Amino acid sequence: MSLTKAIGTVVLCLLLLFSTALSAVSGLLTFVVLNPTYYKAMLPTKAYCDELRERIGENLDHVAILYGLSEGSLNEIVTDADIRAYTGALIDELFNEQTTETLTLPAFPTEGFAAYLRAHTAYSEQAIADISEDCAASVSEDLAAVNVGLIVQGFARMRDSRLSQFAPILFLASALLTVILIAMAIAAYAEERRARGVVIWGGLFLGTATLFVPLSQFWLFDFVGRLNISASAFRTILTGFLNTALYGCLTVLGIAMIGTFLLLMFACLRNKRKRRS
């Protein structure tokens, strides 16, 4: 291989690395980080609902004891379906273009608490109504714990930033650039098929690894889990959002990186076999 072609190979690999990394960043922003549908599907897992119910139950127990009820008696009234529905409403508000400073969230329904009190106590209807409202207010406060001005405003700025607004266009443009660069590599190495695969898959692998490596540090060192926030509904909701975004990005990048690495290894081994023959 001539010096000119060697330099061109390095430049082509670097361009592939850049375009692949840019495609990954814009694609993850579009389809994962700033995609409400993704959060609705992936955030309210069984573990998330159980942990959030435990945090909600801590405050509900105070209300229950205050009114002469046994500790933990009201916890199961808050079901997974309730948490998922409220999480969906929270996500809708976060991604609502009208939301800039505070979230407008619905109050938790009182009917479940009222039905439980009618079935297990001899309280009057007025007492049941008062207790149910206090219980629902406690749950609403916990479920809306992430409604903090600093967090809502920060998310609104990220959501309305130019990068997020142009992320879909940037993804299409960078993906097209990647395809063009691959076509250029195919044309440039039309007579050197052994090197073609190494150049193409090597550039794609390096592009995905460029993002995967720093993001994996957050997972390996559990930076999200080490947030200096006491155990509460606020912590559960906030870390739930952060971990959902992080794991989604790592999953996509991990699959892409493993796939391109295997294809790169196959190209290298194929190149080695042909040289021996």
Side-chain angles (χ1 to χ4, degrees), residues 24-93:
V25 169
S26 55
L28 290 174
L29 279 175
T30 302
F31 300 109
V32 178
V33 178
L34 296 174
N35 183 5
T37 303
Y38 167 74
Y39 287 105
K40 287 181 180 179
M42 304 304 295
L43 175 58
T45 61
K46 179 63 176 175
Y48 173 85
C49 292
D50 290 342
E51 183 179 349
L52 188 53
R53 186 185 297 104
E54 182 179 353
R55 302 281 82 84
I56 292 171
E58 293 173 358
N59 289 329
L60 268 180
D61 286 342
H62 295 304
V63 179
I65 294 171
L66 180 64
Y67 288 104
L69 301 172
S70 60
E71 186 175 347
S73 59
L74 301 176
N75 294 2
E76 295 305 318
I77 296 176
V78 183
T79 64
D80 288 358
D82 293 328
I83 293 175
R84 291 191 179 97
Y86 205 92
T87 301
L90 174 63
I91 293 169
D92 286 337
E93 277 300 304

Side-chain angles (χ1 to χ4, degrees), residues 108 110 113 132-142:
F108 193 82
T110 61
F113 297 106
S132 298
E133 288 179 1
D134 288 345
C135 292
S138 175
V139 176
S140 296
E141 184 178 353
D142 285 332

